[in-house]
Amino acid sequence: MGGTLRDAAAVAGVGYTPFSKDSGVSTTTLACEAILAALDDAGLGPEDIDGIATHRVGDSSPPWAVAPALGIEDQGWYLDQFGGGSVSHAVLGQAAMAVAAGVAETVVCYRAINARSEFRMGGQGRPPAGAFDLQYQAPYGLIAPVQHYALLARAHMLAYGTSHEHLGAVAVGQREKAAGNPRALKRDPITMRDYLASRWIAEPFRLLDCCLETDGACALVLTSAERARDLRRPPVNITAAAWGGGHSSYSGAGPGGIGADPTTSAAARLAPRLYAMAGLGPADVDVAELYDCFTWTVLVQLEDYGFCAKGEGGPYAASGALRIGGELPVNTHGGFLSEGYVHGINHVAEAVQQLRGEAGGRQVPGAEVALSTAQPGYVLAGTSALLLTAPR
Amino acid sequence: MTEPAPLRPGTDRDSAAWWELVRRHRLAVQRCTGCALLRFPAREYCPACRSRSWEWRDCAGTGRVAGWTVTHRAFHPAFAGQVPYTVLCVALDDGPGLRCWGRLVGAGPDALAADLPVEAVFTDAEPSLTLVDWRPAAPPH
Ligand SMILES: [Zn+2]
């Protein structure tokens, strides 16, 4: 398994803009700033790019605007993927495929959003385009992502006894890790009492269950693993990439299967493919950056990526296992809940920094294998994920 | 002050007939005439046998609570005067994998529990728009 994709491409550079509640600039400007920072990290320039890739839901600047803004006349291979968090890692995987196939040598992947000051995901009930389920929900006031995930979290609570404190353990634990991340929007510690006192948004979710609507951008430079060895920074290999897993929202229920059970995500189908491509298993993962639009998605992914048994995500998170120095450090940057929400790519960027050993006060000692994941398949179909490995 | 207009369903060519049935106070799902699978939401192909031959099957109008959320923040002006409100996910009694949504009526969220039996209530929101809501089922005699 794995063909020519396994370890064919590597991340050679990482770049960010500052994260804020109001960038004051366009998403094109954010994209350019993050891309230039990532190229600088790699020791490259815009003239070296022959591929550019992003995803968006009508909320960002596309490759055909960003490449000319950087003076790139021929952007080469490009990808302007429709979709939100569920495809965040698919963009990286497809860029790795383009490199593995020799279609492009150096691809820059980016995500730039003004998710607080311009396009708020749940704002005014703006539906995800193409979400045909919404006609059966919107008239009842079921319109924002936080409500959809709240329903899923409630179903998980009913089925497995997942508690408010289990959700709170994710929020409190990630804030603790964000204290070691200078980029994080929220670094002040919170206690379980603070969590339980925070106001309801959509029960069972409180304010502190929700990610931080963020203005910002992040970019990664991918090139062949071979070329990456000659560049400025130690290369981090994309050892496996996987897509799909199927529709797992409530109405996706077909004749049985995962779609019929809302407490299991698309990641349960995706994980075996991902691990098989890498020749690795959950026990090999040293650090995991798990998509955390809401606290609960961390719990379901702990189960569906095989780190604990089905239904045990809550107790596992509450056990302290997700801390730096714990059995499975998770969302070492603080995640979307505390660092900021760049819709998935900032999880990959954090994984790269962990594997380079440059994460400072939040470094997982000796981290060699990282899992980074996309939104686990709810709202829109399917998910995506990457396994990355440290320079050797 | 007038109430803001409700959000319209935004029907499509697969679902328009289903909404028209609801307007006439009928809750129905599709039944595949090839393999008898019941399916919802409405779509043309059977996902099990790929037949395009199907008929409407009236539902019992009963189900079990599979999840709920109490919304405390209005995400659209149409709901500004309604928070907090409770939306249910209901597993229909007619067959496995049939789930739909609706407001909880006739009780507060404290009455909810896993698998609580509920029954459909048709709410005429406007002359041309009927919605399906749910209330706790009357206990059997
Ligand atoms: Zn059939």
Side-chain angles (χ1 to χ4, degrees):
Chain A
M1 278 282 288
T4 56
L5 181 56
R6 175 169 157 177
D7 288 321
V11 179
V14 176
Y16 296 89
T17 67
F19 296 160
S20 73
K21 292 293 176 196
D22 186 358
S23 70
V25 299
S26 68
T27 50
T28 302
T29 300
L30 289 173
C32 291
E33 186 180 342
I35 289 170
L36 289 171
L39 286 167
D40 184 58
D41 188 48
L44 297 170
E47 64 281 0
D48 296 307
I49 291 177
D50 62 355
I52 183 166
T54 194
H55 68 99
R56 59 197 176 106
V57 282
D59 60 345
S60 187
S61 193
W64 48 260
V66 171
L70 289 170
I72 299 168
E73 283 183 23
D74 176 1
Q75 84 276 23
W77 178 81
Y78 61 93
L79 176 69
D80 183 12
Q81 168 125 29
F82 173 78
S86 59
V87 303
S88 57
H89 289 55
V91 169
L92 279 295
Q94 285 165 97
M97 280 168 54
V99 169
V103 173
E105 187 179 45
T106 305
V107 179
V108 66
C109 301
Y110 69 92
R111 178 81 172 114
I113 45 174
N114 282 322
R116 181 62 176 81
S117 66
E118 288 192 316
F119 186 106
R120 302 180 70 178
M121 289 294 159
Q124 299 297 296
R126 191 194 313 251
F132 87 112
D133 298 1
L134 208 75
Q135 61 177 297
Y136 303 99
Q137 305 167 349
Y140 306 102
L142 179 55
I143 42 186
V146 64
Q147 299 169 297
H148 288 100
Y149 287 97
L151 276 169
L152 295 162
R154 176 70 69 187
H156 199 269
M157 292 168 108
L158 296 175
Y160 300 112
T162 304
S163 69
H164 292 290
E165 286 76 10
H166 292 151
L167 299 174
V170 174
V172 172
Q174 290 192 194
R175 184 62 60 82
E176 191 178 293
K177 284 169 271 197
N181 178 4
R183 272 189 315 275
L185 280 172
K186 298 279 188 188
R187 300 179 63 190
D188 293 337
I190 52 172
T191 63
M192 184 63 76
R193 173 185 283 225
D194 296 330
Y195 168 81
L196 292 171
S198 80
R199 66 186 162 89
W200 291 121
I201 303 295
E203 293 178 45
F205 289 153
R206 299 171 160 89
L207 183 66
L208 290 176
D209 288 294
C210 304
C211 65
L212 305 169
E213 294 172 300
T214 303
D215 286 10
C218 183
L220 301 179
V221 177
L222 266 62
T223 190
S224 69
E226 190 183 345
R227 182 176 188 227
R229 282 196 284 275
D230 301 328
L231 296 177
R232 181 177 286 167
R233 306 307 301 276
V236 168
N237 276 11
I238 296 183
T239 296
W243 294 256
H247 199 95
S248 44
S249 76
Y250 278 126
S251 73
I258 285 175
D261 176 7
T263 64
T264 294
S265 75
R269 279 206 189 104
L270 182 106
R273 290 211 286 277
L274 182 76
Y275 290 129
M277 182 184 288
L280 297 168
D284 298 308
V285 174
D286 299 312
V287 56
E289 316 298 352
L290 303 178
Y291 196 93
D292 58 325
C293 46
F294 304 100
T295 48
W296 177 76
T297 58
V298 172
L299 303 186
V300 75
Q301 290 179 94
L302 288 171
E303 299 166 4
D304 294 347
Y305 281 100
F307 299 111
C308 62
K310 193 71 214 167
E312 293 296 316
Y316 189 61
S319 75
L322 314 189
R323 289 200 168 109
I324 311 283
E327 186 176 85
L328 179 74
V330 166
N331 293 343
T332 44
H333 49 338
F336 303 155
L337 300 174
S338 288
E339 181 187 66
Y341 168 84
V342 198
H343 227 168
I345 192 171
N346 53 321
H347 280 19
V348 189
E350 172 68 8
V352 169
Q353 289 164 89
Q354 287 287 341
L355 297 177
R356 285 174 174 179
E358 61 185 32
R362 62 186 195 283
Q363 179 66 43
V364 175
E368 291 185 350
V369 176
L371 169 68
S372 186
T373 71
Q375 189 262 94
Y378 298 106
V379 185
L380 295 176
T383 183
S384 51
L386 302 173
L387 279 168
L388 302 118
T389 54
R392 284 166 217 278
Chain B
M1 198 179 121
T2 53
E3 276 283 297
L7 270 190
R8 313 296 301 190
T11 62
D12 57 45
R13 290 181 176 185
D14 286 329
S15 69
W18 185 85
W19 281 104
E20 178 55 26
L21 288 175
V22 169
R23 202 183 63 79
R24 292 188 271 135
H25 291 203
R26 278 179 64 191
L27 178 61
V29 295
Q30 287 166 298
R31 180 184 176 277
C32 174
T33 50
C35 74
L37 183 79
L38 300 177
R39 65 181 190 263
F40 176 80
R43 54 223 191 254
E44 189 64 16
Y45 280 92
C46 172
C49 75
R50 285 85 189 183
S51 167
R52 288 182 68 168
S53 174
W54 57 271
E55 62 197 7
W56 290 116
R57 163 69 66 90
D58 281 312
C59 295
T62 59
R64 307 271 163 166
V65 170
W68 70 87
T69 181
V70 185
T71 296
H72 292 258
R73 215 198 102 176
F75 294 97
H76 186 280
F79 305 102
Q82 301 175 25
V83 290
Y85 60 86
T86 302
V87 178
L88 300 182
C89 174
V90 175
L92 300 179
D93 285 339
D94 305 273
L98 299 171
R99 291 188 178 82
C100 66
W101 301 266
R103 285 286 181 93
L104 171 68
V105 296
D110 289 348
L112 296 173
D115 300 322
L116 180 80
V118 288
E119 56 194 25
V121 178
F122 294 93
T123 302
D124 295 317
E126 287 184 351
S128 63
L129 176 63
T130 298
L131 301 174
V132 184
D133 292 318
W134 299 89
R135 70 179 171 217
H141 296 289

